[in-house]
């Protein structure tokens, strides 16, 4: 393409596809055919998906699987997981089954406070700004009542607003730091609407404040936006059992296993290079459930990883110990989730996923998601400290390799039989299939 396209957003869906196919692909017909293969045959349903984002040309499928046998706070769950990575659902299911016979998972929501900020520049006497805020604070509540009325009826609303002096970080930089309770909604639109109203009130009241000089009256609002870092919206998930109860087929010596497991967690607590991969495994479970339930995994990822570095060095989200013969494994993560609003009321599979979970509250969903992360982490660490991570993962990945090679049913049978007793690798499978095809 030699020049930018103009008016692209005004083109019809068919016109957009035609332009892309003819501009970028040597065989436009095949491109158009491929994109249309992924359209839903139900026109109404396809239109719904088309309108989720802008410039939609097709659907990008991710498998929706389920992990059964989770016992969380003495209640049974089958957890929906939307993810494309091999072995994640299998690992979660295996952990669920393991802990279901050892007391199950326990989860507790510690707090549900969410945060939003109005960032502004003030040039003047700080003591006057503090006095102004003290006198104006009540108006931030009273003049947003039209926005907060419905949320207050559900038990939520604005919790507090503070003035934060950040001039040690940037010259003349201050913020209104507000905390919110949004109940079963994630609350992004609610919080941002309140913040923008705070900004308007701040500027209007500053202009009328008699103690301010003309320069001090001209407060410059830079932006008003919620934060995806929610260190006071925390859920804890945990498992524990006597060390000897850890025994199973791959754990003949439970004491040695427990000690090695704790050491593996401790390494992730002190070594950032390991901690990133360790936490990525946790997020395999968390993100998959967040996607399936229509929540924002990008917001959660950003907040969780910031939380992992809250002490100044990136560290493990999970922890483990052996104390008085009891093995304990737990994590605490910040999760700002919702079960009403957004995709939860629009996407048919999101509604199905939430119904599968028996329509949980936001707090209950926080518990389920945190448990999925802990289960995933347990499965990964159990593999790493016993058989090794690649044994199970590559066997699950075998189907992907065979699909790439377009293997026949007979070839699949012979490959699977061979690799029951051999290490699975991409090159090994390719060579084996090529040898079969030479015969």
């Amino acid at each position: 393409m030699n020049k930018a396209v103009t008016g692209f957003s005004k083109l019809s869906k068919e016109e957009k596809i035609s332009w892309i196919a003819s501009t970028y692909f040597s065989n436009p017909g095949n491109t158009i055919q491929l994109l249309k293969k992924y359209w839903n045959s139900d026109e109404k349903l396809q239109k719904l998906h088309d309108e989720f984002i802008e410039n939609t040309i097709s659907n990008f499928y991710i498998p929706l699987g389920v992990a059964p046998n989770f016992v969380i706070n003495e209640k049974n769950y089958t957890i929906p997981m939307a993810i494309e990575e091999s072995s994640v659902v299998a690992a979660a299911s295996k952990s669920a089954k393991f802990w279901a016979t050892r007391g199950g998972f326990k989860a507790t929501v510690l707090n549900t406070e969410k945060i939003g900020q109005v960032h502004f520049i003030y040039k003047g006497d700080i003591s006057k700004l503090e006095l102004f805020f003290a006198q104006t604070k009540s108006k931030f509540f009273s003049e947003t009542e039209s926005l907060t009325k419905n949320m207050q009826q559900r038990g939520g609303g604005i919790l507090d607003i503070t003035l934060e002096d950040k001039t040690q970080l940037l010259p003349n930089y201050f913020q209104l730091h507000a905390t919110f309770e949004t109940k079963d909604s994630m609350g992004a639109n609610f919080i941002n609407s309140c913040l923008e109203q705070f900004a308007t009130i701040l500027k209007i009241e500053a202009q009328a404040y008699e103690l301010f000089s003309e320069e001090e009256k001209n407060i410059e609002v830079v932006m008003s936006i919620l934060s995806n870092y929610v260190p006071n919206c925390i859920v804890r998930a945990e498992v524990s059992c006597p060390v000897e109860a850890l025994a199973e087929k791959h754990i003949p010596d439970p004491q040695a296993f427990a000690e090695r497991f704790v050491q593996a967690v401790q390494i992730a607590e002190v070594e950032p290079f390991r901690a990133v991969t360790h936490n990525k495994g946790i997020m395999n479970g968390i993100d998959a459930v967040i996607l399936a339930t229509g929540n924002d995994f990008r917001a959660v990822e950003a907040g969780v990883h910031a939380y992992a570095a809250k002490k100044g060095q990136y560290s493990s989200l999970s922890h483990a110990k052996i104390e008085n013969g009891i093995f304990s494994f737990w994590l605490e993560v910040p999760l700002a989730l919702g079960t009403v609003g957004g995709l939860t009321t629009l996407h048919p599979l999101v509604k199905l996923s939430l119904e599968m979970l028996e329509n949980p509250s936001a707090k209950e969903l926080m518990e389920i998601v945190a448990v999925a992360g802990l289960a995933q982490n347990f499965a990964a660490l159990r593999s790493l400290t016993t058989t090794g991570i690649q044994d199970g993962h590559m066997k699950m990945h075998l189907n992907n390799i065979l699909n790439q090679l377009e293997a026949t049913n007979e070839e699949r049978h012979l490959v699977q039989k061979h690799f029951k007793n051999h290490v699975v690798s991409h090159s090994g499978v390719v060579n084996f299939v090529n040898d079969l095809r030479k015969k």
Side-chain angles (χ1 to χ4, degrees):
M1 187 178 72
N2 296 320
K3 61 180 181 178
V5 61
T6 57
F8 184 78
S9 63
K10 295 181 175 63
L11 299 177
S12 68
K13 182 179 175 181
E14 293 274 6
E15 289 170 335
K16 289 171 184 170
I17 291 172
S18 178
W19 179 84
I20 288 168
S22 61
T23 303
Y24 291 104
F25 297 91
S26 58
N27 192 327
N30 284 354
T31 299
I32 293 170
Q33 185 180 23
L34 176 62
L35 290 171
K36 290 188 175 182
K37 273 185 181 179
Y38 283 85
W39 289 7
N40 197 291
S41 58
D42 183 329
E43 290 185 8
K44 185 178 179 181
L45 185 59
Q46 183 57 54
K47 186 173 185 295
L48 176 69
H49 283 265
D50 286 348
E51 293 177 353
F52 285 159
I53 61 169
E54 305 78 27
N55 296 337
T56 304
I57 58 172
S58 192
N59 305 312
F60 192 94
Y61 292 169
I62 289 178
L64 176 65
V66 294
N69 300 317
F70 271 92
V71 177
I72 305 173
N73 295 337
E74 301 183 353
K75 182 177 178 181
N76 289 296
Y77 290 92
T78 294
I79 297 182
M81 304 180 78
I83 190 166
E84 84 300 338
E85 184 173 331
S86 302
S87 78
V88 169
V89 176
S93 301
K94 193 172 182 181
S95 283
K97 189 175 180 181
F98 181 93
W99 284 107
T101 58
R102 294 167 174 81
F105 293 85
K106 294 176 178 59
T108 310
V109 174
L110 305 180
N111 207 328
T112 56
E113 180 182 283
K114 293 162 188 173
I115 292 169
Q117 297 166 321
V118 177
H119 306 268
F120 66 93
I121 303 299
Y122 166 79
K123 298 177 181 178
D125 187 331
I126 294 176
S127 63
K128 285 198 281 184
L129 179 64
E130 292 170 339
L131 183 61
F132 162 75
F133 174 74
Q135 294 181 12
T136 309
K137 183 175 178 177
S138 62
K139 290 189 177 182
F140 293 118
F141 290 89
S142 62
E143 295 186 18
T144 53
E145 285 183 352
S146 61
L147 297 173
T148 62
K149 183 179 178 181
N150 289 339
M151 186 65 76
Q152 286 178 16
Q153 289 174 349
R154 300 199 298 271
I158 305 164
L159 300 177
D160 195 16
I161 309 167
T162 59
L163 173 68
E164 302 292 326
D165 180 351
K166 299 289 183 176
T167 53
Q168 77 279 12
L169 303 175
L170 287 174
N172 309 311
Y173 169 40
F174 296 84
Q175 57 181 234
L176 297 181
H177 184 94
T179 51
F180 300 84
E181 169 60 60
T182 61
K183 304 308 287 182
D184 287 336
S185 68
M186 188 273 174
N189 289 331
F190 168 73
I191 292 172
N192 287 335
S193 294
C194 289
L195 294 172
E196 290 183 0
Q197 186 63 25
F198 293 167
T200 299
I201 296 165
L202 178 68
K203 290 189 288 186
I204 291 173
E205 293 300 320
Q207 286 293 324
Y209 191 57
E210 293 181 353
L211 295 182
F212 279 162
S213 67
E214 287 304 311
E215 183 179 37
E216 289 168 336
K217 288 180 178 180
N218 292 320
I219 286 176
E220 177 191 349
V221 173
V222 179
M223 55 186 167
S224 308
I225 186 70
L226 89 163
S227 174
N228 290 128
Y229 183 40
V230 283
N232 292 322
C233 189
I234 301 294
V235 57
R236 178 186 174 97
E238 58 193 310
V239 287
S240 64
C241 71
V243 169
E244 60 267 23
L246 293 168
E248 61 149 13
K249 178 182 176 182
H250 295 296
I251 306 175
D253 185 343
Q255 182 67 38
F257 166 77
E259 290 173 0
R260 195 178 304 114
F261 191 103
V262 171
Q263 287 173 337
V265 175
Q266 289 172 338
I267 288 169
E269 288 174 334
V270 300
E271 170 51 64
F273 283 92
R274 170 59 196 145
V276 170
T277 309
H278 177 92
N279 290 344
K280 186 268 181 186
I282 292 172
M283 299 313 293
N284 279 344
I286 287 176
D287 284 347
V289 187
I290 288 174
L291 270 173
T293 57
N295 278 272
D296 186 346
F297 77 93
R298 299 158 302 271
V300 169
E301 281 271 355
V304 165
H305 292 303
Y307 188 77
K310 65 183 184 297
K311 293 182 179 179
Q313 175 175 299
Y314 192 88
S315 182
S316 170
L317 291 162
S318 63
H319 310 280
K321 67 178 181 179
I322 304 167
E323 195 171 85
N324 299 322
I326 302 297
F327 169 81
S328 299
F329 180 48
W330 73 97
L331 61 71
E332 291 181 6
V333 284
L335 294 174
L337 305 179
T339 54
V340 299
L343 283 185
T344 60
T345 54
L346 286 175
H347 199 301
L349 287 178
V350 168
K351 289 192 281 187
L352 179 146
S353 293
L354 290 171
E355 189 172 348
M356 189 188 306
L357 294 172
E358 300 184 48
N359 296 312
S361 66
K363 282 186 175 182
E364 289 169 333
L365 184 59
M366 288 170 68
E367 293 171 346
I368 292 164
V369 169
V371 163
L374 187 69
Q376 200 66 35
N377 196 211
F378 179 80
L381 290 171
R382 179 172 60 177
S383 292
L384 284 167
T385 55
T386 54
T387 60
I389 200 73
Q390 285 301 91
D391 180 57
H393 181 77
M394 288 308 294
K395 284 180 180 177
M396 290 294 295
H397 189 53
L398 184 57
N399 278 336
N400 290 342
I401 302 172
L402 292 173
N403 285 335
Q404 290 172 11
L405 298 173
E406 298 182 352
T408 65
N409 289 336
E410 183 181 356
E411 289 171 340
R412 285 174 182 272
H413 173 72
L414 292 170
V415 167
Q416 288 164 351
K417 183 179 179 181
H418 174 80
F419 283 100
K420 276 185 178 180
N421 301 310
H422 294 81
V423 175
V424 178
S425 69
H426 188 277
S427 60
V429 176
V430 170
N431 290 337
F432 187 81
V433 171
N434 286 339
D435 288 341
L436 286 176
R437 291 173 177 175
K438 291 176 184 176
K439 294 178 180 178

